[in-house]
Structure formats: C-alpha cells, structure tokens
Amino acid sequence: SVGEDRRMTPDEAMTRARAGQLAPVTLVVGEEEYQRGRVVRALREAALAGGVPGLNDDQLEAAQSSVDAALSVARTMPMMARRRVVVVRGVERWESRAESGERRGDPFEKLTAYAANPAPETVLVLSASKLDKRRKLVQDARRGDYLVECEALSRRELPRFVVAHARELGGSIEPRVADLVAEVAGPDLAPVADAVTRLCLYAGARPITEADVG
C-alpha cells in the first residue's frame, strides 16, 4: 500500500496497466533492458487505448532533452483524448547533470517535485538502466508504489519465464524443455524471448520439444 516500502515486478506493472490502473508517474529501473521495454510498451498501450493514433504520444531521450522540456510536455493537455503519455528513456543520463550542479538545477529534484503534484491527465514513464537508490525520487517512488524494478532473472527463474512467454504466444513447452532453452539462450531475456518466439512459430500447435530446440 502507499506509504510502505514497495516496488513492483515487471509482471505486476503490466497486469496493472492492462487493467487500466495507471499512475501519473512510473519509474522503471533496472539493467534488464528487455523487461524495461515490455513494461514501457504495456504502459503506453494502456494509456493510449481509445485515442487517436499519433496524438498524445511523446517519446523523449534524456541524452537529447532537458528535464524542463520533458516536464513541459508532461504538463501539456492531451488532444481529443483522456490522456497523454510521455516516455523518457535513459534517465540515468541526467545523473551527470545532477552531480555537476548545473545552473538550471538538479533534474531529479525537479522530477521529485513534479511527482508530488503531477498533471492528472498525463502518464509520465521514466525509464533508466540504473539510478542512485539514495535519491529522493527513487525513495518516493518506492514508498508511493510507482517504482518498477527490472532486474535480471536468476538461472532458476528463467525456465518459468520461458513457459510463461510461450503461453503468451499461444504455444506450450514442458518445464524440462524450457530449462534447455534457458541453458542454450540465457541468461539475457532478449535472446531467450527471441528463441521462444522462433520455437513457437516452428512448432505451431504442438508442444515444443527437445528436438525443436536442437
């Protein structure tokens, strides 16, 4: 609940998004790029559902945009829709600006202030590979239940991901075969997911076998 030390898993974040439970700010952090991408896509799709394609969908890179520009867009009213979605990728790039004490102010202090009083019509998604956990933005996101942590899965967890991903794609695979896929394609999730997609296409309606993996 809000006020407690809380962080969402990628699956929890995507489940909430698909149920229409969208927070005005979501901080997606972790070195597992594939998981970050899945969470961001789920939030974008949910926020833009029912809107006019191409409108109210702003994609920014922190390396090329200032925090002031990003927050200006976030405070812009949506056009012909309930919501605007603003995705800022590579937020870790603002770490160096914060540490340098640039004249325009600490970007993370500005993000923290915005998160305390966000535009209600906007879904702001901040994506970063890694951030200093001592930052108030990260601590507030944890307490406020809008932090999503996308960490690498352990070797033991990978087969469960393989089984679940195959099911999402309409396929099926036994845990024993899923373990083989994890061993061959892991540990990063992007190649594992690609392998499962190829196997599902190859196997079609039947279960994926060890021979298919070979």
Side-chain angles (χ1 to χ4, degrees), residues 75-163:
R75 292 187 176 103
T76 303
M77 290 289 292
M79 296 177 60
M80 297 183 290
R82 292 174 54 202
R83 298 188 186 95
R84 172 179 297 281
V85 61
V86 181
V87 176
V88 185
R89 294 182 173 85
V91 172
E92 69 275 6
R93 299 295 291 270
W94 285 338
E95 287 271 16
S96 59
R97 301 184 194 180
E99 291 168 0
S100 67
E102 63 177 23
R103 288 180 301 171
R104 295 182 181 179
D106 185 330
F108 293 96
E109 289 182 2
K110 294 181 179 183
L111 290 173
T112 301
Y114 175 86
N117 186 27
E121 303 85 5
T122 295
V123 174
L124 174 61
V125 182
L126 305 169
S127 176
S129 61
K130 189 175 183 179
L131 289 179
D132 187 339
K133 294 182 179 181
R134 296 170 297 179
R135 289 200 174 279
K136 191 173 188 302
L137 175 67
V138 178
Q139 294 175 359
D140 285 358
R142 191 176 279 131
R143 285 191 292 266
D145 201 16
Y146 58 92
L147 173 65
V148 184
E149 291 197 335
C150 301
E151 302 300 337
L153 296 184
S154 69
R155 177 61 181 82
R156 290 183 59 187
E157 295 171 308
L158 274 178
R160 288 197 295 272
F161 171 82
V162 172
V163 171

Side-chain angles (χ1 to χ4, degrees), residues 16-36:
R16 290 188 189 187
R18 291 164 186 153
Q21 300 172 15
L22 296 168
V25 179
T26 302
L27 181 60
V28 187
V29 181
E31 296 184 0
E32 181 46 74
E33 184 177 359
Y34 178 80
Q35 290 284 54
R36 290 203 322 272

